[in-house]
Amino acid sequence: MPQQTRQSSWDGVEASQTDVDAPFSLGAPRPARRLDRRAVHWWLTQNLLVVVPVLAALAAVALIPDAPSWLWPVFAVLCPLGVGYALLTPWYRYRVHRWEAGGDAVCATSGWLTREWRVVPFTRIQTLDTKRGPLMQLFGLSAVTVTTASAAGPVTIVGLDQRLAAAMVQDLTERVRALREDGT
């Protein structure tokens, strides 16, 4: 039976969303919020910036007069694989990546080959960071990194709207500060 999760109102909109694909564990929050849809275009652009030059270089080498004859069959195999990778993985990643900042923890699912589900209780948060690379800025996106003392490393939620990310960091900072002032 799918669980319904109420979204926080950082962006001024309260909504509930049902998600059957997210991992679930008794007592742990279940991430239900999707990333911004522009994340698909951001990942697609990243993929194309890698795949297109590689395929172009392979084709250029294959066009050299003394090039080995096996380069064209390699190109014929790698071209549809590379284009398929570039076009399909962003949509799959968008379907898998989720996040949630509930009453007492931040949780996120990520990955496209290997799925990772991480939960960070507010009491464990040490730092909150936002990151916006050049491509992310072009698409109006940000990444929020929640750092703890865990050996597993930080939890990063990529592909958030930049205003939502800023509001989320401010809200989480206030919640964590309130917990520390309470002496917990």
Side-chain angles (χ1 to χ4, degrees):
M1 180 171 157
Q3 176 182 352
Q4 288 196 342
T5 307
R6 186 169 195 119
Q7 293 181 353
S8 298
S9 58
W10 291 311
D11 50 352
V13 179
E14 293 205 19
S16 62
Q17 189 175 22
T18 302
D19 181 15
V20 191
D21 295 330
F24 178 68
S25 174
L26 293 176
R30 183 174 177 174
R33 293 191 70 159
R34 286 187 183 265
L35 303 176
D36 192 287
R37 193 141 178 111
R38 292 173 288 177
V40 173
H41 305 291
W42 171 59
W43 282 318
L44 176 65
T45 304
Q46 283 182 317
N47 289 350
L48 290 175
L49 287 174
V50 171
V51 169
V52 170
V54 168
L55 292 177
L58 185 58
V61 169
L63 287 172
I64 296 174
D66 293 334
S69 60
W70 54 266
L71 282 177
W72 282 113
V74 168
F75 178 77
V77 169
L78 289 181
C79 192
L81 289 176
V83 171
Y85 165 81
L87 297 178
L88 297 177
T89 58
W91 290 101
Y92 181 74
R93 290 176 75 181
Y94 177 75
R95 185 176 170 267
V96 170
H97 283 64
R98 296 276 195 284
W99 66 278
E100 190 73 44
D104 52 359
V106 174
C107 61
T109 58
S110 62
W112 60 276
L113 280 180
T114 303
R115 290 188 188 185
E116 181 179 55
W117 181 38
R118 305 272 308 274
V119 177
V120 178
F122 289 162
T123 57
R124 298 297 217 174
I125 294 176
Q126 290 186 337
T127 61
L128 293 159
D129 302 302
T130 57
K131 177 182 167 186
R132 296 182 64 215
L135 272 179
M136 291 179 102
Q137 290 179 39
L138 180 68
F139 288 102
L141 299 172
S142 289
V144 172
T145 303
V146 180
T147 307
T148 68
S150 169
V155 173
T156 302
I157 305 167
V158 297
L160 296 173
D161 177 76
Q162 62 189 5
R163 290 179 302 246
L164 174 64
M168 177 182 168
V169 167
Q170 181 179 359
D171 180 57
L172 290 176
T173 301
E174 291 170 5
R175 288 197 212 179
V176 169
R177 186 177 297 132
L179 280 175
R180 294 221 165 74
E181 289 173 357
D182 287 344
T184 56

